Amino acid sequence: MQFVRYTTGGAPEWGIRREGEIVSLAGLREDISYQQLTDPGFLAVVEDAVDAGAPTAIPADEARLLAPVPRPGKIICVGLNYHDHAEEQDEDVPERPLLFGKAATSVTNPGDPIVHPTELEEVDYEVEMGVVIGRTAKDVDAADARDYVAGYTAINDVSGRDAQFKDEQWFRGKSYDSFAPMGPTLVPEDRLDPHTLDVSCRVNGETKQSSNTEQFIFDVDDLVEYISGFTTLRPGDVISTGTPGGVGVFRDPPELLEPGDAVDVEIEGIGTLTNPVVAEE
């Protein structure tokens, strides 16, 4: 079950994407919220609504997809969370999650441009799985963590490496407008195993990253427990779970994004998130 936020020229709405079509959920009596996605009963209602609405489905290519979480309360990113990424940097596996923030205003939609700032020379790609929080979580045990997750999406954690390395901290380099493409779908937690998914990134059709979430150092349960232990997670918050090996800055020679490039990040079961790179005007 793949939820999508989309528009056909009017107000944004929610739908379900299946078999190349989108079935609108506008007729539901209940509003769709991230908390609703944690409720199996609500998901059963959605399934019934999709079956009933199938005759009025529209072709997916007639809709403009939108980020499933357009303005997260907060985006918490995890650094060095794949074993293969640690290996390419010749770094020891961290003893606890390495966290940093990314501005909510960096979120952009599937298909919208990643703007390459004039002041930066080293703009990089990073395929990541996003965990969308569905229920308020504080001091949650790992064994109960999935109860607080609405679902999963794909994120391109675009990174301004020169800003990141110059500042010796990551917030500015991660937070330029358009540096967090998100989508194309949001898959409810109980419909996907987040720890067995193939993930990849392609630039102009050439594969740059290819791995599996089995490579996680800290899995979703660990992250929700750790983060909720010091800050309250609320519905619509997003945890970006880190990227695998193959990022551009650590290639020899480095292979970084330029205006005119097209970037695809793909996560099994969630879909492919595609964005062009354009120069800042």
Side-chain angles (χ1 to χ4, degrees):
M1 182 185 292
Q2 296 180 327
F3 282 79
V4 291
R5 280 183 71 249
Y6 72 101
T7 179
T8 55
E13 58 182 291
W14 284 98
I16 297 293
R17 186 176 76 174
R18 66 176 191 177
E19 298 178 354
E21 295 182 325
I22 294 175
V23 180
S24 172
L25 297 177
L28 286 181
R29 294 181 179 179
E30 301 175 86
D31 291 335
I32 295 177
S33 68
Y34 303 114
Q35 184 163 341
Q36 291 279 34
L37 299 189
T38 68
D39 180 357
F42 176 74
L43 296 179
V45 170
V46 169
E47 288 183 329
D48 291 341
V50 170
D51 290 338
T56 60
I58 64 169
D61 60 8
E62 292 184 5
R64 176 179 174 235
L65 295 183
L66 305 172
V69 190
R71 285 294 177 264
K74 49 186 173 286
I75 304 174
I76 300 174
C77 302
V78 188
L80 211 64
N81 197 37
Y82 279 72
H83 286 281
D84 53 13
H85 190 38
E87 290 169 5
E88 77 174 349
Q89 297 185 59
D90 196 25
E91 294 277 1
D92 293 333
V93 171
E95 295 181 0
R96 60 183 179 275
L98 303 176
L99 305 179
F100 58 92
K102 194 173 181 88
T105 47
S106 62
V107 172
T108 197
N109 300 313
D112 284 0
I114 298 166
V115 178
H116 192 302
T118 303
E119 66 193 76
L120 297 182
E121 296 182 357
E122 299 178 343
V123 176
D124 209 345
Y125 51 82
E126 293 189 12
V127 57
E128 307 206 1
M129 185 186 75
V131 179
V132 179
I133 299 299
R135 295 171 52 202
T136 299
K138 178 62 178 173
D139 295 324
V140 171
D141 289 334
D144 301 321
R146 308 285 186 86
D147 295 340
Y148 296 83
V149 174
Y152 306 101
T153 191
I155 297 172
N156 187 352
D157 178 22
V158 181
S159 305
R161 299 299 189 188
D162 31 0
Q164 180 181 337
F165 298 148
K166 181 178 181 179
D167 294 353
E168 298 184 347
Q169 58 85 22
W170 295 354
F171 185 76
R172 178 169 71 100
K174 297 284 188 173
S175 293
Y176 284 83
D177 291 349
S178 79
F179 271 26
M182 183 187 297
T185 72
L186 175 59
V187 179
E189 198 290 320
D190 70 351
R191 307 304 166 97
L192 201 64
D193 180 353
H195 300 140
T196 61
L197 303 177
D198 289 333
V199 301
S200 63
C201 176
R202 297 179 295 276
V203 178
N204 303 326
E206 181 180 350
T207 298
K208 302 295 186 180
Q209 295 179 280
S210 180
S211 190
N212 189 285
T213 55
E214 293 174 339
Q215 287 279 322
F216 277 157
I217 296 169
F218 302 101
D219 66 18
V220 171
D221 307 332
D222 298 328
L223 294 173
V224 172
E225 178 181 68
Y226 182 75
I227 295 168
S228 72
F230 66 83
T231 190
T232 300
L233 292 168
R234 300 191 184 280
D237 287 348
V238 175
I239 301 171
S240 197
T241 54
T243 199
V247 297
V249 74
F250 294 119
R251 290 176 169 269
D252 186 15
E255 298 176 12
L256 297 157
L257 297 177
E258 298 290 345
D261 288 342
V263 187
D264 302 317
V265 299
E266 182 174 3
I267 299 181
E268 181 182 1
I270 294 171
T272 302
L273 171 66
T274 300
N275 297 88
V277 182
V278 302
E280 183 178 31
E281 294 183 359

